């Protein structure tokens, strides 16, 4: 006769309301949230409960609290979820190489999408990064450019979610893979092999050759895996 | 002369300490956390701060608070991150079809890993689910069995992280894709085509035929995409 009462906690209800406001477009990226006092009054709950909900959204990486200025929906979600994912990863006693393998899994098919969907602007950007990689001698900058090269390919796929997931994996790799990207990229032999693979990858994407792009990306990861293992 | 003072908030320090205890193995899956009172005393912070940190970890899906029994590290991470990811997904104004595309991207290469690494036990489990799918007439159960079929393939890849990510994508699909799995799976024509594809997929994995497994998985997603679009 009665509906079952859902045992929802106060902070969960607050998170749900914020979620609903995002869903209907009332709240957008970069928007300021009402003050904790106003939220507590509007929702008829304690300020402590509001604060719990806001801190939770902050840990998750969805909002940021600016000293003295209030709480804002984040503009970009770069660091999103990387802390909780790192903890989960440790709890599951996963193999750090799994992170690399998942990155490979995603990039192998993403480069096919990129080859199919890339615009001329994407292609030009990939070419520019490649040219910078060729000229660059700074090892730290090498790491930055290499990441940019791969992200631009992901961006060329047109799938934002793929970029997000690769970004999270990239952070997990930085945390858990002992052999640093810098070592891999700076090793004299790798350096030229990788540069040559990046060049071939650019050509395959330019020529819209999906089969070749996939095969070159595979070679690229084989090289990295030999180094890590 | 001085090191820069890191502007860390109290609840962040608490999360960091819990993370450190997970890292060194003091805390494991299913473990009970100390009471809020004990944590507040040990850490020299207010109980409100402890509660904020705990609620944050709860929203993220890393701990669960059991009524009257205290806080526990979760045993399994099924629902992990799906709420915050759903909010982020809406804020980014992503295309719901991106979720399906990422699922395809991951499963296309995962089935190759599964074909290479699967044990006899995995193969038998896939076969059993296939047999159940063939006999099953209940539409809801169809959805369950279809998910199980794909997860078992992911499990056969030996990469736990892939299973986690597919689980999260599956929840996003349930939230954002209007055409339900049930509709896709129950449509009389699809039903037989999908069953036939699942059977061929099983055979390719059994015969360790990577090329064929990849091609069949591709056909599988083409069929689903025609339906969704």
């Amino acid at each position: 006769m009665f509906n079952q009462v859902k045992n929802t906690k106060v902070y969960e209800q607050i998170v749900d309301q914020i979620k609903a406001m995002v869903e209907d477009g009332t709240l957008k990226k970069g928007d300021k949230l009402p003050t904790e006092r106003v939220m507590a009054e509007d929702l008829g709950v304690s300020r402590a409960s509001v604060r719990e909900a806001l801190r939770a959204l902050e840990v998750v990486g969805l909002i940021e609290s600016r000293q003295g200025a209030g709480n804002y929906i984040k503009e970009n979600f770069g660091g999103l979820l990387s802390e909780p994912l790192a903890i989960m990863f440790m709890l599951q006693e996963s193999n750090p190489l799994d992170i690399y393998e998942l990155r490979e899994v995603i990039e192998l098919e993403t480069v096919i999408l990129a080859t199919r969907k890339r615009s001329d602007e994407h292609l030009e950007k990939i070419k520019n990064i490649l040219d910078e990689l060729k000229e660059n001698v700074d090892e730290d900058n090498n790491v930055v450019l290499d990441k940019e090269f791969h992200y631009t390919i992901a961006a060329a796929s047109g799938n934002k979610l793929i970029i997000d997931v690769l970004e999270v994996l990239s952070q997990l790799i930085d945390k858990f893979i002992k052999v640093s990207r810098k070592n891999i990229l700076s090793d004299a032999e790798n350096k030229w092999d990788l540069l040559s693979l990046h060049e071939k990858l650019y050509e395959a994407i330019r020529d819209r050759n999906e089969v070749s792009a996939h095969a070159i990306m595979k070679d690229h990861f084989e090289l990295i895996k030999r180094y890590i293992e």
Side-chain angles (χ1 to χ4, degrees), chain A:
Chain A
M1 196 173 299
F2 294 101
N3 290 320
Q4 201 179 339
V5 174
K6 216 179 140 194
N7 180 14
T8 319
K9 290 155 187 162
V10 173
Y11 79 87
E12 282 177 357
Q13 292 178 31
I14 300 170
V15 170
D16 278 348
Q17 292 215 19
I18 291 176
K19 190 175 154 196
M21 288 168 81
V22 168
E23 197 158 11
D24 70 16
T26 316
L27 280 178
K28 291 197 194 309
K29 284 194 281 185
D31 280 359
K32 188 173 194 283
L33 291 171
T35 63
E36 289 174 13
R37 190 180 53 75
V38 168
M39 287 181 76
E41 279 170 14
D42 282 3
L43 297 160
V45 297
S46 72
R47 283 185 67 172
S49 294
V50 169
R51 211 169 297 123
E52 279 176 18
L54 293 175
R55 289 303 81 79
L57 291 173
E58 199 176 348
V59 168
V60 167
L62 280 172
I63 69 170
E64 59 182 330
S65 120
R66 299 183 199 150
Q67 195 73 37
N71 299 297
Y72 291 79
I73 303 276
K74 273 208 175 173
E75 277 287 353
N76 74 68
F77 304 105
L80 187 88
L81 307 178
S82 80
E83 277 301 290
L85 268 177
I87 299 179
M88 179 200 76
F89 190 78
M90 293 187 289
L91 283 169
Q92 283 197 318
E93 298 170 22
S94 295
N95 181 348
L97 290 178
D98 284 358
I99 313 170
Y100 240 106
E101 191 173 67
L102 178 53
R103 189 187 146 195
E104 179 179 358
V105 157
I106 294 175
E107 290 209 32
L108 280 174
E109 296 292 329
T110 298
V111 78
I112 294 180
L113 293 176
T115 304
R116 195 179 306 155
K117 297 182 177 177
R118 61 101 182 141
S119 64
D120 290 344
E121 287 71 31
H122 285 129
L123 187 68
E124 203 187 319
K125 200 171 168 199
I126 294 169
K127 176 78 165 70
N128 289 341
I129 299 167
L130 182 66
D131 289 342
E132 280 192 70
L133 265 171
K134 281 183 198 165
E135 310 239 322
N136 180 63
V137 289
D138 179 77
E139 294 188 358
D140 288 318
N141 196 32
N142 234 359
V143 176
V144 174
L145 288 170
D146 183 79
K147 276 193 192 178
E148 259 185 57
F149 187 86
H150 286 272
Y151 285 143
T152 309
I153 292 176
S157 79
N159 188 322
K160 285 184 202 171
L161 204 55
I162 290 179
I163 306 172
D164 292 335
V165 174
L166 287 178
E167 169 71 35
V168 168
L169 290 180
S170 173
Q171 288 172 26
L172 285 178
I173 287 170
D174 289 342
K175 275 180 193 148
F176 291 105
I177 304 274
K178 297 268 165 10
V179 183
S180 77
R181 292 168 189 269
K182 203 166 141 180
N183 289 345
I184 299 173
L185 294 171
S186 316
D187 184 300
E189 215 176 307
N190 285 344
K191 199 178 168 175
W192 298 112
D193 286 350
L194 275 172
L195 202 55
S196 151
L197 284 168
H198 283 141
E199 175 129 44
K200 284 184 195 156
L201 210 46
Y202 157 71
E203 289 165 1
I205 294 169
R206 180 193 64 198
D207 303 342
R208 301 212 187 264
N209 187 335
E210 297 177 17
V211 175
S212 168
H214 185 268
I216 297 161
M217 192 60 100
K218 192 139 195 67
D219 289 344
H220 172 277
F221 278 99
E222 291 303 327
L223 189 154
I224 292 175
K225 272 192 289 190
R226 273 202 307 277
Y227 207 89
I228 299 176
E229 286 162 2

